[in-house]
Amino acid sequence: IYIVITSLLFIAEQWRDQQSELIKMAQLEEEAKRAELKALRSQINPHFLFNALNLIYSEAVKKSDQSPVLILKLSDILRYVLEKAEKERVSMQDEVNYIADYIDLQTARMNNPDQVVFHATGNFENHEIAPLLLLNFVENSFVHSDLSERPEIRIEISIENGMLNFTCSNKKRNHFNP
């Protein structure tokens, strides 16, 4: 009886220790995911920021009426990143507005801004999303696109029957062309 009870106690203790280790590992994985998401959210692409500031500067030198509008768009983008990026979820409408401001700043730098097509349709008010989730796709569509010809960047966001539909496409730049 002593051997059976001791063995059962040993097995129970081993099981408890194993469960404790599994819980610790799950917590560490969750913390790592949160840290990674926080790092991604906290990034403002410095290249984009410098380009935006250079654009605003050149418009200001020309005394363009666009200067104040561009300053407000950049201000809204920075405010969004600072205020919303730490949240778990934000209004889908806020995210769409943020993406629209980003696209406006990018297209203001282009010779042919009509090469960028952006459509957002549906009622975004009652839906939430993790902040900055879609931005990497939008950024990459500009960074990795070939706008030297007529092809366009196309970004479409819609809500249909409670489902988010997001399409982001471009003509990929051929980096291996001599």
Side-chain angles (χ1 to χ4, degrees), residues 3-138:
I3 293 173
V4 170
I5 292 174
T6 306
S7 296
L8 288 175
L9 287 174
F10 178 77
I11 292 171
E13 186 177 337
Q14 291 295 319
W15 181 81
R16 187 192 68 205
D17 289 346
Q18 184 182 20
Q19 294 302 311
S20 177
E21 286 297 317
L22 288 173
I23 290 170
K24 285 179 186 177
M25 286 177 50
Q27 288 171 341
L28 287 174
E29 286 178 12
E30 183 67 27
E31 286 177 30
K33 286 179 185 177
R34 277 195 220 123
E36 183 179 357
L37 187 55
K38 184 176 181 179
L40 285 172
R41 288 176 177 172
S42 68
Q43 290 178 351
I44 297 177
N45 186 333
H47 188 69
F48 164 74
L49 185 57
F50 290 130
N51 284 341
L53 290 171
N54 284 332
L55 168 67
I56 292 168
Y57 172 77
S58 68
E59 293 297 315
V61 167
K62 292 189 277 185
K63 301 203 184 319
S64 168
D65 292 340
Q66 281 294 100
S67 298
V69 173
L70 295 172
I71 290 170
L72 285 176
K73 287 194 183 294
L74 182 58
S75 173
D76 288 344
I77 286 172
L78 294 174
R79 182 177 298 111
Y80 184 85
V81 169
L82 292 173
E83 292 177 0
K84 306 280 184 168
E86 294 298 317
K87 295 184 177 187
E88 294 252 346
R89 299 234 179 245
V90 295
S91 158
M92 188 66 201
Q93 186 63 57
D94 289 346
E95 188 75 3
V96 169
N97 292 342
Y98 171 76
I99 290 171
D101 285 343
Y102 178 87
I103 292 169
D104 287 346
L105 272 176
Q106 288 287 21
T107 57
R109 298 177 36 232
M110 298 171 65
N111 293 333
N112 296 316
D114 61 329
Q115 288 179 305
V116 178
V117 176
F118 174 61
H119 293 290
T121 56
N123 181 6
F124 299 108
E125 287 298 324
N126 299 323
H127 301 280
E128 292 184 334
I129 190 170
L132 308 174
L133 185 66
L134 305 176
L135 184 65
N136 284 335
F137 298 104
V138 175

